[in-house]
Amino acid sequence: MLTATKEESVAVVRVQTLKHGLIDLAEECRITFATPLLGFEHLKSFYIYQPTPGPTYWMQSVEQPRVAFCLLAPFQAGLDPQIVIEPGDVSDIAASGTADIQLFTLVVLDRDPSLHRTNLRAPILVGRTSRLAKQVVLSDQRLAIKFFLRDLKVLEV
Amino acid sequence: VLVLSRKSNESIVINGEIVVTVLEVGRNGQVRLGIEAPRHYQIYRHELLLEIQRENRDALSSAEFDNVASARIPPQAN
């Protein structure tokens, strides 16, 4: 159940999340998949939010409160995968091209944190302006489908 | 399933805009295909799509683990 309230000039929506209970999010956190996430063709709308600052985000389904994914912003995490996105790949979600795109990768969490991994081969692209999203499967075979995050030189702060 | 027989250098046309040509039939049974299609068609090996789907489903089920509520992955030092 979503309840919209006005707070100053920013539209805020109360969202039931899988991981963080009932939280208030700006309506602009909502994204719509222009082409569905592979294997989740029945789900279109999600909220992307950050419980704490850092490179991880959560993507919460609007249609199904039990569906949520952990996302990584790989560049923010210190990774520099050679991900090449062509303007033609994003013309349906970002009219002004790749500069208007946010890139996330899906994270597979494990009970053993050293086994957390992310899929660099099939990132999720979000148009900052359009709020439309898609998952692309890149042809570069050097991008790991299972990239273990222990391979990041993690700095505990 | 529609079944068509094609030899090397013969093609099929799908929907008037996708042309699939048999480039080579190897003795080991491997077939090389050439595909001409408008850019907006996403063309993948089936097993790659299945692997991505499996990874997506693993990402979903792993999100329910209780001990990773924060899933904190600190940024790397510069």
Side-chain angles (χ1 to χ4, degrees), chain B residues 12-32:
Chain B
I12 61 166
V13 181
I14 301 169
N15 223 21
E17 55 180 358
I18 301 171
V19 181
V20 182
T21 305
V22 178
L23 298 177
E24 187 184 331
V25 182
R27 286 185 187 165
N28 57 1
Q30 192 172 47
V31 178
R32 282 167 53 93

Side-chain angles (χ1 to χ4, degrees), chain A residues 55-73:
Chain A
T56 50
Y57 294 75
W58 283 86
M59 184 169 78
Q60 170 66 49
S61 167
V62 173
E63 288 109 338
Q64 290 191 11
R66 298 291 302 164
V67 172
F69 297 91
C70 181
L71 302 181
L72 182 73

Side-chain angles (χ1 to χ4, degrees), chain A residues 20-80:
Chain A
H20 304 94
L22 208 54
I23 58 174
D24 288 341
L25 296 173
E27 177 59 35
E28 64 185 30
C29 295
R30 183 169 175 156
I31 61 159
T32 303
F33 274 82
T35 50
L37 197 60
L38 290 167
F40 295 91
E41 284 72 14
H42 55 300
L43 300 177
K44 291 263 180 197
S45 290
F46 290 84
Y47 283 96
I48 291 182
Y49 68 94
Q50 246 188 326
T52 50
T56 50
Y57 294 75
W58 283 86
M59 184 169 78
Q60 170 66 49
S61 167
V62 173
E63 288 109 338
Q64 290 191 11
R66 298 291 302 164
V67 172
F69 297 91
C70 181
L71 302 181
L72 182 73
F75 301 103
Q76 232 174 302
L79 276 174
D80 186 18

Side-chain angles (χ1 to χ4, degrees), chain A residues 39-156:
Chain A
F40 295 91
E41 284 72 14
H42 55 300
L43 300 177
K44 291 263 180 197
S45 290
F46 290 84
Y47 283 96
I48 291 182
Y49 68 94
Q50 246 188 326
T52 50
T56 50
Y57 294 75
W58 283 86
M59 184 169 78
Q60 170 66 49
S61 167
V62 173
E63 288 109 338
Q64 290 191 11
R66 298 291 302 164
V67 172
F69 297 91
C70 181
L71 302 181
L72 182 73
F75 301 103
Q76 232 174 302
L79 276 174
D80 186 18
Q82 301 296 304
I83 293 177
V84 178
I85 307 290
E86 302 286 348
D89 294 334
V90 297
S91 56
D92 52 341
I93 62 168
S96 56
T98 52
D100 196 35
I101 289 289
Q102 276 178 293
L103 186 147
F104 301 98
T105 54
L106 280 170
V107 177
V108 179
L109 299 162
D110 197 280
R111 292 185 199 284
D112 174 355
S114 73
L115 296 178
H116 291 345
R117 65 179 194 260
T118 197
N119 181 352
L120 298 175
R121 187 80 181 275
I124 290 169
L125 308 180
V126 179
R128 288 178 210 273
T129 311
S130 68
R131 309 311 295 160
L132 292 173
K134 68 194 283 193
Q135 184 175 34
V136 291
V137 182
L138 301 171
S139 54
D140 187 346
Q141 296 183 16
R142 291 169 299 179
L143 296 168
I145 293 173
K146 293 178 172 41
F147 179 87
F148 286 91
L149 294 173
R150 62 170 178 247
D151 295 338
L152 275 175
K153 291 187 185 112
V154 168
L155 173 72
E156 292 289 354

Side-chain angles (χ1 to χ4, degrees), chain A residues 19-20 38 40 55-56 58 66 68-69 77-78 86 89 106-109 111 117 119 122 135 137 145-146 149 153-155 157, chain B residues 39 42 44-45 48-49 51-53 55-60 62-77:
Chain A
K19 297 305 290 187
H20 304 94
L38 290 167
F40 295 91
T56 50
W58 283 86
R66 298 291 302 164
F69 297 91
E86 302 286 348
D89 294 334
L106 280 170
V107 177
V108 179
L109 299 162
R111 292 185 199 284
R117 65 179 194 260
N119 181 352
Q135 184 175 34
V137 182
I145 293 173
K146 293 178 172 41
L149 294 173
K153 291 187 185 112
V154 168
L155 173 72
V157 288
Chain B
R39 192 183 167 84
Q42 299 185 321
Y44 308 112
R45 291 179 175 87
L48 173 62
L49 270 197
E51 193 176 356
I52 301 291
Q53 280 183 5
E55 204 62 8
N56 285 354
R57 290 201 193 99
D58 283 354
L60 171 65
S62 74
E64 297 211 344
F65 293 165
D66 287 336
N67 66 334
V68 291
S70 63
R72 190 158 182 282
I73 299 162
Q76 190 180 27

